Amino acid sequence: MTSPVLEIDGPAAPPRDNGELVFAEPWESRAFGLAVTLHDAGSFTWDDFRDHLVARIADWERSHPEGECYSYYRCWLDALESVVAERGLVGADEVADRAGALAQRPAGHDHEHAEGHGHGHGHGH
Amino acid sequence: MSASINPDRLSPALRTEALEQLLTERGLVDPAVMDKFISTYENDVGPLNGAKVVAKAWTDPEYRARLLAEGTSAIKELGFAGPQGEHIVVLENTDTVHHVVTCTLCSCYPWPVLGLPPGWYKDPAYRARIVREPRAVLAEMGLTLPDDVEVKVWDSSSEVRYLVLPLRPEGTEDASEEELAGHVTRDMMVGVAR
């Protein structure tokens, strides 16, 4: 590397994520990436997205199935779905229909789609 | 939704994949751009950036003054900028004041200098309790502060992100800026370590 932005080794290299996975599961990184990319492209302002995120987190904290663990990125995904629906980009029913179709793929599809979908790490957590 | 599909099967992974497909098909998301963002935040942007800012402030009094007066532009001098870094305020720890940061409503965090937030920062318990009983929470996280140190809790707003400038460790008078950066942890820059 000719001009490293970050020192990977050496004394000035504390663990970049301090020993924690940044994303616990591959879908979390995709949901993160979608929001950041859409914002970057001007599809919504960050304040818009944050308002939806704050509302979803408050909803969960007010009421959730007993025993369900808090998932920040689940709230993030809910917020993303609602902000893209509000903006008329993708409707909630469209997401559900497509997800339903994806659910009916035969077992083993993951292997064909493994490349580029962030699979390969995070499984088993 | 298709009548034959049990909604419970629509896991977040499937919903995310569906959303990504639809947004990509409509030209609203460029997969290459998205992969770059993910890779950047997974691999390149992290607490080391903030550690470099802190180490420079410890060794360069003029930089320290600029950093405390106008955090965002001083941080940008080192090349760190981007989403969630538009307005960063730097909080200076002293012998008598300790700052700790949270975001009670969601989990706002200064990405350009710290990367993405750790699990505990996003946890509802941390976000609620650090405001109500900061000394108890800090003690549980391994930081017991003397009574004569005032604790100030800062709640991130929609505009402002905070970075704590920790006290320079004793015995580091001869250390280089690079060596000093190695002393700085993410937890120090959030204020749950000192």
Side-chain angles (χ1 to χ4, degrees):
Chain A
M1 219 185 296
T2 50
S3 59
V5 178
L6 294 168
E7 188 180 7
I8 306 297
D9 305 305
R16 282 170 299 184
D17 55 7
N18 285 24
E20 288 181 39
L21 288 169
V22 176
F23 300 108
E25 296 182 57
W27 70 264
E28 296 182 353
S29 71
R30 307 310 290 176
F32 168 80
L34 286 171
V36 173
T37 306
L38 285 167
H39 167 252
D40 183 64
S43 293
F44 47 71
T45 68
W46 200 259
D47 279 354
D48 264 350
F49 177 68
R50 183 181 185 270
D51 288 345
H52 285 265
L53 181 59
V54 167
R56 291 307 182 140
I57 290 173
D59 285 347
W60 188 90
E61 290 180 350
R62 201 160 33 239
S63 151
H64 55 267
E66 197 176 329
E68 182 178 280
C69 288
Y70 177 70
S71 163
Y72 174 69
Y73 281 108
R74 195 183 278 261
C75 293
W76 178 287
L77 176 61
D78 288 343
L80 181 60
E81 285 185 1
S82 73
V83 76
V84 299
E86 189 181 88
R87 293 268 148 175
L89 306 177
V90 175
D93 51 342
E94 295 180 284
V95 177
D97 282 349
R98 180 66 65 93
L102 293 173
Q104 293 185 318
R105 287 173 300 192
H109 69 88
D110 268 352
H111 299 291
E112 294 160 37
H113 288 257
E115 311 309 324
H117 274 263
H119 291 273
H121 61 253
H123 273 320
H125 291 276
Chain B
M1 116 164 27
S2 309
S4 59
I5 299 298
N6 176 348
D8 290 344
R9 290 189 63 201
L10 300 181
S11 66
L14 282 172
R15 283 163 48 207
T16 305
E17 189 178 355
L19 191 56
E20 181 179 347
Q21 284 187 0
L22 290 160
L23 288 164
T24 305
E25 287 164 13
R26 290 168 194 190
L28 295 163
V29 162
D30 178 341
V33 172
M34 175 165 154
D35 286 342
K36 181 82 164 61
F37 271 123
I38 293 171
S39 160
T40 297
Y41 284 100
E42 274 187 329
N43 303 313
D44 299 334
V45 180
L48 179 55
N49 291 3
K52 288 177 174 175
V53 171
V54 168
K56 186 165 180 63
W58 282 346
T59 54
D60 180 342
E62 289 180 7
Y63 182 76
R64 180 190 191 94
R66 289 201 299 282
L67 183 66
L68 293 171
E70 187 50 66
T72 310
S73 59
I75 287 165
K76 200 172 180 181
E77 284 179 41
L78 301 194
F80 308 134
Q84 307 299 296
E86 292 88 353
H87 191 180
I88 298 178
V89 170
V90 178
L91 309 165
E92 180 183 32
N93 277 354
T94 69
D95 290 332
T96 54
V97 177
H98 180 84
H99 300 286
V100 60
V101 179
T102 187
C103 173
T104 54
L105 291 181
C106 42
S107 300
C108 295
Y109 198 67
W111 295 355
V113 279
L114 294 184
L116 299 181
W120 56 260
Y121 185 85
K122 296 176 283 192
D123 192 89
Y126 173 79
R127 292 173 16 241
R129 289 186 59 222
I130 194 69
V131 177
R132 288 203 310 267
E133 41 177 355
R135 282 177 191 276
V137 174
L138 292 175
E140 287 166 24
M141 297 179 82
L143 175 62
T144 303
L145 290 166
D147 289 341
D148 60 352
V149 174
E150 181 189 359
V151 179
K152 291 189 177 179
V153 182
W154 297 79
D155 190 3
S156 308
S157 70
S158 59
E159 286 95 27
V160 183
R161 305 289 177 271
Y162 297 102
L163 181 74
V164 176
L165 176 59
L167 289 169
R168 180 169 172 165
E170 288 174 15
T172 59
E173 292 74 15
D174 299 327
S176 69
E177 194 178 316
E178 193 177 1
E179 288 165 342
L180 284 170
H183 286 276
V184 185
T185 66
R186 174 197 66 202
D187 289 3
M188 291 165 75
M189 294 183 280
V190 181
V192 298
R194 189 162 163 89

